Amino acid sequence: MNKEHDILVITKNTSGIAARIMSLFNRRGYFVKKMSSGITNKEGYARLTLTVDGDKELLDQIQKQVYKIIDVVKVKIFPDEGVIRRELMLIKVKANDETRSQIVQIADIYRGKILDVTPKSLVIELTGDVKKLDGFVEIMNTYGVLEIAKSGVLAMSRGEKMWWKKFYLIKMFLLKEMVEK
């Protein structure tokens, strides 16, 4: 059964790494619905979070193929539970003197932040999970949505798990073995 999954890819932060990963997805016919990327707390590494539709077999295939790319350090399929997922959305909504205060009140309920006010529109920043953002958009449709910009999903496991800890321990073990030889 196909459903939406978030995949974490940790790579060395080299020129063109995101393009190489996306090229692999394109060549294999994998459809990426959302993507976010940025640096990590470990210098020299980048973090990509990709959202794809697929079943377990497809996810296993994606994981194996991405691991083959030079500079990829970690590939993880996030489970449904025990993960914090957030997206950022900017939404421009039609507003006039009569509707502006209503829109601001609704944005406050959703913990949105007003970024821009003009005589005919408001720009609101909202952060949350997909359901929260979709609910807000549904309400704003009654006022008239002019434009939406959304980031991809940012995801992180709950608790003290760290992607780099296992990688670091393996690296230290291999270095120790090389020194001993």
Side-chain angles (χ1 to χ4, degrees), residues 94-105 119 122 143:
K94 285 184 187 177
N96 56 39
D97 292 338
E98 292 135 24
T99 62
R100 186 171 290 104
S101 65
Q102 295 169 359
I103 296 168
V104 169
Q105 284 181 327
L122 290 170
Y143 296 97

Side-chain angles (χ1 to χ4, degrees), residues 5-172:
H5 298 277
D6 295 316
I7 302 170
L8 170 67
V9 180
I10 302 292
T11 70
K12 291 181 183 172
N13 196 5
T14 57
S15 178
I17 187 64
R20 285 187 287 162
I21 291 170
M22 294 311 294
S23 176
L24 174 123
F25 274 74
N26 288 335
R27 284 192 317 269
R28 297 283 180 176
Y30 306 144
F31 177 65
V32 177
K33 292 177 78 172
K34 301 174 189 175
M35 180 187 121
S36 63
S37 64
I39 60 170
T40 70
N41 59 319
K42 289 291 179 190
E43 191 174 329
Y45 291 91
R47 175 186 187 107
L48 284 79
T49 306
L50 308 169
T51 303
V52 299
D53 272 334
D55 58 15
K56 183 172 177 13
E57 186 178 305
L58 178 71
L59 292 174
D60 289 342
Q61 190 65 30
I62 288 172
Q63 198 167 21
K64 289 174 187 172
Q65 293 297 319
V66 173
Y67 259 126
K68 291 179 182 178
I69 297 174
I70 296 173
D71 296 329
V72 169
V73 174
K74 171 98 175 152
V75 181
K76 175 182 179 177
I77 311 297
F78 281 112
D80 293 337
E81 301 295 321
V83 177
I84 301 165
R85 291 175 173 83
R86 293 290 181 269
E87 281 189 70
L88 170 67
M89 176 175 70
L90 301 178
I91 181 169
K92 187 183 294 184
V93 182
K94 285 184 187 177
N96 56 39
D97 292 338
E98 292 135 24
T99 62
R100 186 171 290 104
S101 65
Q102 295 169 359
I103 296 168
V104 169
Q105 284 181 327
I106 295 167
D108 285 343
I109 291 168
Y110 277 82
R111 296 186 181 145
K113 182 178 176 184
I114 307 301
L115 299 180
D116 186 52
V117 178
T118 69
K120 295 185 179 182
S121 69
L122 290 170
V123 175
I124 304 162
E125 173 187 312
L126 207 64
T127 305
D129 62 25
V130 174
K131 288 180 184 176
K132 175 183 174 181
L133 299 184
D134 288 348
F136 187 77
V137 170
E138 190 175 315
I139 293 170
M140 290 300 109
N141 279 333
T142 60
Y143 296 97
V145 174
L146 298 171
E147 192 175 352
I148 293 177
K150 289 173 82 175
S151 69
V153 173
L154 298 175
M156 186 176 285
S157 297
R158 292 186 179 274
E160 295 181 21
K161 295 178 187 172
M162 297 169 280
W163 67 265
W164 55 266
K165 193 171 186 178
K166 188 175 182 181
F167 171 73
Y168 180 76
L169 291 173
I170 292 169
K171 185 176 176 182
M172 294 307 293

